[in-house]
Amino acid sequence: MSFQDLLLQQIINGVSLGAMYALLALGFTMVYGIIELINFAHFNVFMVGSFVAMWIMGAMGIVGQSEVLYGLPLVGVLLVTLIATMLITGLLGVLIERVALRPLRGVAGTAPMITTIGLSYILFNVILLAVGADSKNYTNPLPRTHWEIGEAVLRLRELLLWGISIGLMVVLHYFVRGTKMGKAMQATAQDPEAARMMGVDVDRVVAMAFFLGSALAGAAGMIFGLYYNFTSFIIGYTAGLRAFTAAVLGGIGNIPGAMLGGILIGLIESLGGHFIAVRWTDVIIFSILVLVLVFRPTGLLGRAAPTKS
Amino acid sequence: MHISDAQQQPERRPLLEFSDVDTYYGEMHVLKGVNYRVGEGEIVCLLGGNASGKSTTMKTILGIVTPQRGTVTYAGETINTLPTADRVRKGIAPVPEARRLFPRMSVLENLYMGAFTREDKAEIESDLERVFGLFPRIKERLKQSAGTLSGGEQQMVAMARALMARPKLLCMDEPSMGLSPLFVEQVFDLIQAINRQGTTIFMVEQNANMALSIANYGYVLQTGEVVLSGSAQSLRDNEMVRQAYLGELKVAAH
Ligand SMILES: Nc1ncnc2c1ncn2[C@@H]1O[C@H](COP(=O)(O)OP(=O)(O)OP(=O)(O)O)[C@@H](O)[C@H]1O
Ligand SMILES: [Mg+2]
């Protein structure tokens, strides 16, 4: 394989990973932007999402990887699975916020963050007990269609995953920019007390941030399964930490930043993994996390200084 | 210790009343059994030193803090525990201390945030025109992000934003803070203009001279207690107010 083709192949892989990290990073960033909380439960909402999507496909009678769908049935199955998964994980996020985090709202210090770590463990163990410790083959009805560009291969599944990610990000963008709820979210992120004084129901805004973030995590979980062809109770940590790094790299609290950070981390993982060594990717990614936190804590697209008074 | 003034305020229907209100932050007792009465159509001003509880009074009216004892009545209804959003819908709007604009939103977006609880689109647009009439300079800055405006411009936008709620009661917390004397005069002229259009105003001010010159009635708050109240004129004549708030201490000491 020529160098160019190798590079192209790794970029295709990197963008695919990056699109998934971006979806996951958006959840971290939205919740942080609004209540300045790092939600570690998010890792495992993603993991739960990947199982939920598999169960939903199972409920529609699709199991394993031998059954391949084309055309309208394929689009239908994917769409139903995506929407149902996002609804379920979105509601899981709302439940987490309502039951475990809202009572702690306004409590200073790390108590709410520690609570999210506890919640993350609960989800982790519930799935471990429910499905066992071995990794599961993922349901995958996608045809094996692919295109060759030189010696690089672009598979239909990659195009599809990019499409889903980009579509969701565009919808999110217009939701935040163009709707009243989106405006309320922006206002709350900039000054929660002033937003409240304008008549914004801050509790609803926080619940909405959890819903959207967790729904996107569910979508990312489904994408993970379709991309890697397996899932396991353990997938939340690696992907979650990388997505978290992506959010920090882009500027935590910043929505376009999370998208950019996600793609960059995906590219670093695939290019670094190929041209340096796979065992070094984690070192590289977490060095980036540390370097960003030390030298540019606001991230690439973050604001120069906090403007809250 | 409450010295009430003999001159009664004219009998207008009360729009807002505090009776024996106690407000706390955790253990800290901030408002201690205060009573206020703001009549419909009046300008009432609240004077007091730093940390006396003036902003806390405003936050109690808006429902950002809830009183532990006593009652807050608005338009004949007890609103002690009413959520802030419902108060805004009923016509209470703030011009908060230090303006508190949304810094990364444009001026226009900030103005629309003022109308957040309203659904009457056409009316909102006509209110926008009315607000531009009062604050012509805002119209030139609609696209600029609010955080980059000068302090004076921010104050104008903060007042305009509050008007976009179509308030019956405007709660202003130190509207003249940090403004040059010329600008202060403009702000007070605008407050009077807003009042003449029918909005009741409850205003916290350090600039006692100016505030009392446009107010009907005033209260003086000291460490959470109302120590003095009366018509604006009577407060201006009061020895204690003159010394503490009208800057005549030095004159007296000479
Ligand atoms: N959110 C809060 N939590 C705890 N204490 C508070 C809070 N807000 C205000 N306080 C305290 O309550 C007291 C009264 O504060 P308040 O802001 O009402 O004073 P103020 O009269 O507006 O003063 P200033 O003229 O300086 O604005 C102060 O001692 C202040 O430190
Ligand atoms: Mg104050």
Side-chain angles (χ1 to χ4, degrees), chain B residues 49-56 58 97 173-174 177 204 206:
Chain B
N50 290 122
S52 56
K54 304 182 301 296
S55 297
T56 304
M58 293 297 157
E97 193 172 22
D173 198 340
E174 305 204 31
M177 190 204 276
V204 167
Q206 300 280 5

Coordinates of all heavy atoms in Angstrom, one line a residue, chain B residues 49-56 58 97 173-174 177 204 206, ligand 2:
Chain B
G49 N -26.6 51.5 53.2 CA -25.2 51.3 53.0 C -24.9 49.9 52.4 O -25.8 49.2 52.1
N50 N -23.6 49.7 52.2 CA -23.3 48.4 51.6 C -23.7 47.2 52.5 O -23.6 47.4 53.7 CB -21.7 48.3 51.4 CG -21.3 49.3 50.2 OD1 -20.5 50.2 50.4 ND2 -21.9 49.1 49.1
A51 N -24.1 46.2 51.9 CA -24.4 44.9 52.7 C -25.6 45.1 53.6 O -25.8 44.4 54.5 CB -23.2 44.4 53.5
S52 N -26.4 46.2 53.4 CA -27.6 46.4 54.2 C -28.8 45.5 53.8 O -29.7 45.4 54.6 CB -28.0 47.9 54.2 OG -28.2 48.3 52.9
G53 N -28.7 44.9 52.6 CA -29.8 44.0 52.2 C -30.6 44.6 51.1 O -31.7 44.1 50.8
K54 N -30.1 45.6 50.4 CA -30.9 46.2 49.3 C -31.1 45.2 48.1 O -32.2 44.9 47.7 CB -30.2 47.4 48.8 CG -30.0 48.5 49.9 CD -29.3 49.7 49.3 CE -28.0 49.5 48.6 NZ -26.9 49.0 49.5
S55 N -30.0 44.6 47.7 CA -30.1 43.6 46.6 C -30.9 42.4 47.0 O -31.6 41.8 46.2 CB -28.7 43.2 46.1 OG -28.0 44.3 45.6
T56 N -30.7 42.1 48.3 CA -31.5 40.9 48.8 C -33.0 41.2 48.7 O -33.8 40.4 48.5 CB -31.1 40.6 50.3 OG1 -29.7 40.4 50.3 CG2 -31.8 39.4 50.8
M58 N -34.4 43.0 46.4 CA -34.8 42.8 45.0 C -34.9 41.3 44.7 O -35.8 40.9 44.0 CB -33.7 43.5 44.1 CG -33.7 45.0 44.2 SD -35.3 45.7 43.7 CE -35.3 47.3 44.5
E97 N -28.5 44.3 39.6 CA -27.2 45.0 40.0 C -26.2 44.5 39.0 O -26.1 43.4 38.6 CB -26.9 44.5 41.4 CG -25.8 45.3 42.0 CD -25.6 44.9 43.5 OE1 -26.0 43.7 43.9 OE2 -25.0 45.7 44.3
D173 N -31.8 47.7 40.4 CA -30.8 47.7 41.5 C -29.6 48.5 41.1 O -28.8 48.1 40.2 CB -30.4 46.2 41.7 CG -29.7 46.1 43.1 OD1 -29.2 47.1 43.6 OD2 -29.6 44.9 43.6
E174 N -29.5 49.7 41.6 CA -28.4 50.6 41.4 C -28.2 50.9 39.9 O -27.1 50.6 39.3 CB -27.1 50.1 42.0 CG -27.3 49.9 43.5 CD -25.9 49.9 44.2 OE1 -25.1 50.7 43.8 OE2 -25.8 49.2 45.2
M177 N -25.0 52.9 38.8 CA -23.7 52.4 39.2 C -22.6 52.5 38.1 O -22.8 52.0 37.0 CB -23.8 51.0 39.7 CG -22.5 50.5 40.4 SD -22.4 48.7 40.2 CE -23.5 48.2 41.6
V204 N -33.3 50.6 43.9 CA -32.2 50.7 44.9 C -31.2 51.8 44.4 O -30.9 51.7 43.2 CB -31.5 49.4 45.1 CG1 -30.2 49.5 45.8 CG2 -32.4 48.4 45.7
Q206 N -27.6 54.3 45.3 CA -26.6 54.9 46.2 C -26.6 56.4 46.0 O -26.2 57.2 46.8 CB -25.2 54.4 45.9 CG -25.0 52.9 46.0 CD -24.8 52.5 47.5 OE1 -24.9 53.3 48.4 NE2 -24.5 51.2 47.7
Ligands
MG2 MG -26.5 45.4 46.2

